[in-house]
Amino acid sequence: SSGINAEWPLRSGIVAFSIFVTCYTRSRNCIDDFDIDIKESQGYNYPIPHSYESEYWSELQTEYKVTRKMSWSRNFYIFGKFVDESAAGGDDTIISAGLYRGDELIYKTIINCESGTWENWILDKKTEQERILLHGKINKTVSCKTGDDFDLILKNDNDRLANWILNAQPLQHEVRKFSKKTNKISEGKRQIRTGILRPKVKVDSKSSTFNATRFEFTATGRAVFDRFAFGQCDAWPKNMEMQCQKVREWIHARSKANMTEETLAQLQSTPDANFTRGLGTFGNNMESFIPTCLTKKYFNWFQGTVHPDRETPMYPGEPANKEKRAYCCCTNMKTGRVFEDDPEKNCISTPTCITLGWTCVRAYDPVVGGEIYEEGKKEH
């Protein structure tokens, strides 16, 4: 992967995407994505790729002789921090981010550190006026204190489903439970799937989320941004090299995991003792994509389930292979990045990986392996 490591030291205004100043790098566990450092910026405007291609973010899929439209999920990651009061210029600390179709709002969130509140807004179909869809209080995971970091994720699952997540807090409240017909036919009848959980509120804006042409985020006061990533992937903060276990905990806390108290109790004797329940249907990605570790510090050089992208078929082969829709990747043991930042050579689809028996020996770091061995001898 190549590109210019672009940084804009702006404290106000919007940083506009430019074909002349871009940074196409690989985020930590992303395969096909955009990832850029934006040093202490208070605004960024990202044109969503292929937004004017109507079928790019969706695809017709046939399963059990039934065809339906499937959507590609998308992940937007914003990373930032709170700076000293003297840099705030007297303004309230407010973070705003949203999807837009041109200048027209589709879905945005506004986080106000002074009042400790968040609001999610849409453009009403009937009145064509912006209105609040949901609102609530930010919890203790967001202190807004000088020196603290923050992260804001938008997980866009389909045309009307998008979840804001602030420091592992979902910015919505309730779920709905329903049943629906599946594509599976048994004895001449379509089967019913029961107990499906989804966020209760749909993003019923004038335009659907997949009509968005750009993603914009701004800040005032003590909040500044330092990085933005986009893709079908898991990304995590850049300051977590040689902290594999903390990466696992960070991703899990924002995932679709929905652990019971019994399961959490069983984890107390494992390295995952600090796991939380997860966010369930409000979460970002499935917990199966969390990277595996050799120790608290080091990543496994072979990651067997890395989040897929558009190049991975929706259903590789028979429907029984749905769970194999992923990549396996050779991985840098210190950073968790794709080995040599080259997914073309070091990532293949999981079904192919299983068939070929990939082991990624080339990614094994003997120096790290020696350190792990010596630590193991001390413990025993």
Side-chain angles (χ1 to χ4, degrees), residues 170-215:
L171 304 187
Q172 48 188 304
H173 307 293
E174 302 177 24
V175 299
R176 58 191 177 97
K177 189 174 183 179
F178 61 97
S179 302
K180 73 173 183 179
K181 291 183 178 180
T182 70
N183 289 350
K184 186 175 182 179
I185 307 296
S186 179
E187 298 181 353
K189 295 182 180 181
R190 290 179 68 178
Q191 298 300 291
I192 304 296
R193 181 184 171 194
T194 61
I196 301 172
L197 296 176
R198 292 289 185 274
K200 186 174 183 179
V201 175
K202 294 183 179 181
V203 184
D204 201 21
S205 195
K206 179 184 175 182
S207 297
S208 79
T209 58
F210 277 28
N211 288 136
T213 58
R214 62 189 184 91
F215 182 76

Side-chain angles (χ1 to χ4, degrees), residues 9-73:
L10 301 185
R11 287 283 299 137
S12 61
I14 305 297
V15 179
F17 176 90
S18 167
I19 61 173
F20 301 107
V21 195
T22 61
C23 179
Y24 288 96
T25 63
R26 302 293 174 183
S27 185
R28 292 301 185 259
N29 230 6
C30 295
I31 301 301
D32 182 17
D33 69 323
F34 176 83
D35 192 335
I36 189 167
D37 293 330
I38 44 176
K39 186 177 180 181
E40 295 198 2
S41 165
Q42 286 199 310
Y44 191 79
N45 181 38
Y46 176 62
I48 298 172
H50 306 282
S51 59
Y52 293 99
E53 300 173 34
S54 59
E55 300 304 319
Y56 186 86
W57 292 107
S58 62
E59 182 176 316
L60 295 178
Q61 292 287 326
T62 300
E63 183 185 16
Y64 299 110
K65 299 181 181 181
V66 177
T67 300
R68 61 176 178 170
K69 183 178 179 181
M70 302 291 291
S71 299
W72 301 98
S73 63

Side-chain angles (χ1 to χ4, degrees), residues 28-29 31 236 244 247-248 288-294 298-307 326-333 335-339 346-350 353 358-360 363:
R28 292 301 185 259
N29 230 6
I31 301 301
W236 57 83
C244 184
V247 169
R248 281 180 59 82
S288 57
F289 299 122
I290 298 174
T292 57
C293 304
L294 292 176
Y298 295 119
F299 296 81
N300 195 317
W301 67 89
F302 173 79
Q303 299 291 336
T305 312
V306 175
H307 200 288
Y327 284 109
C328 68
C329 294
C330 304
T331 304
N332 185 300
M333 296 171 69
T335 67
R337 295 170 69 106
V338 174
F339 186 59
N346 294 295
C347 294
I348 56 175
S349 68
T350 297
C353 181
W358 259 33
T359 58
C360 288

Side-chain angles (χ1 to χ4, degrees), residues 89-379:
D91 296 328
D92 286 348
T93 300
I94 298 173
I95 301 166
S96 178
L99 291 170
Y100 294 84
R101 185 178 187 180
D103 293 331
E104 182 182 281
L105 173 66
I106 296 178
Y107 193 41
K108 71 178 178 182
T109 191
I110 299 175
I111 298 147
N112 190 318
C113 277
E114 313 307 325
S115 61
T117 60
W118 58 266
E119 298 173 346
N120 295 343
W121 291 67
I122 61 171
L123 185 67
D124 191 277
K125 284 182 177 180
K126 296 180 179 179
T127 65
E128 297 196 7
Q129 299 293 315
E130 294 185 9
R131 68 173 177 85
I132 296 176
L133 180 67
L134 292 167
H135 62 90
K137 294 281 189 179
I138 57 177
N139 64 27
K140 62 182 180 181
T141 64
V142 185
S143 69
C144 298
K145 293 180 180 178
T146 299
D148 283 359
D149 296 327
F150 67 86
D151 58 271
L152 179 62
I153 301 171
L154 176 64
K155 175 58 179 252
N156 184 190
D157 283 295
N158 61 39
D159 287 353
R160 301 293 175 183
L161 182 59
N163 300 331
W164 293 105
I165 304 167
L166 175 66
N167 283 28
Q169 177 189 357
L171 304 187
Q172 48 188 304
H173 307 293
E174 302 177 24
V175 299
R176 58 191 177 97
K177 189 174 183 179
F178 61 97
S179 302
K180 73 173 183 179
K181 291 183 178 180
T182 70
N183 289 350
K184 186 175 182 179
I185 307 296
S186 179
E187 298 181 353
K189 295 182 180 181
R190 290 179 68 178
Q191 298 300 291
I192 304 296
R193 181 184 171 194
T194 61
I196 301 172
L197 296 176
R198 292 289 185 274
K200 186 174 183 179
V201 175
K202 294 183 179 181
V203 184
D204 201 21
S205 195
K206 179 184 175 182
S207 297
S208 79
T209 58
F210 277 28
N211 288 136
T213 58
R214 62 189 184 91
F215 182 76
E216 179 182 318
F217 49 96
T218 61
T220 59
R222 291 176 290 105
V224 296
F225 308 115
D226 51 37
R227 179 175 165 226
F228 168 68
F230 168 79
Q232 296 177 284
C233 56
D234 278 313
W236 57 83
K238 281 189 173 181
N239 59 356
M240 299 180 79
E241 283 79 3
M242 294 194 292
Q243 298 183 69
C244 184
Q245 186 59 39
K246 288 188 177 181
V247 169
R248 281 180 59 82
E249 294 165 6
W250 193 95
I251 296 177
H252 175 85
R254 294 154 178 79
S255 76
K256 294 182 184 294
N258 190 13
M259 291 190 167
T260 64
E261 293 299 328
E262 181 181 2
T263 301
L264 291 174
Q266 292 172 352
L267 291 177
Q268 293 308 299
S269 59
T270 75
D272 294 327
N274 292 329
F275 270 16
T276 58
R277 292 179 64 95
L279 301 184
T281 191
F282 298 139
N284 185 30
N285 288 325
M286 300 300 293
E287 62 271 26
S288 57
F289 299 122
I290 298 174
T292 57
C293 304
L294 292 176
T295 67
K296 288 184 178 181
K297 288 174 61 175
Y298 295 119
F299 296 81
N300 195 317
W301 67 89
F302 173 79
Q303 299 291 336
T305 312
V306 175
H307 200 288
D309 60 15
R310 290 188 75 261
E311 302 305 316
T312 312
M314 283 286 189
Y315 303 130
E318 295 300 315
N321 287 333
K322 283 183 185 180
E323 70 278 6
K324 298 176 184 175
R325 187 178 178 270
Y327 284 109
C328 68
C329 294
C330 304
T331 304
N332 185 300
M333 296 171 69
K334 294 181 179 179
T335 67
R337 295 170 69 106
V338 174
F339 186 59
E340 296 179 338
D341 284 333
D342 191 346
E344 296 295 328
K345 293 182 179 179
N346 294 295
C347 294
I348 56 175
S349 68
T350 297
T352 304
C353 181
I354 294 171
T355 300
L356 297 179
W358 259 33
T359 58
C360 288
V361 174
R362 61 185 175 277
Y364 176 76
D365 186 331
V367 176
V368 171
E371 180 183 325
I372 294 172
Y373 175 73
E374 291 300 326
E375 289 179 354
K377 285 201 305 183
K378 292 177 182 178
E379 292 177 1

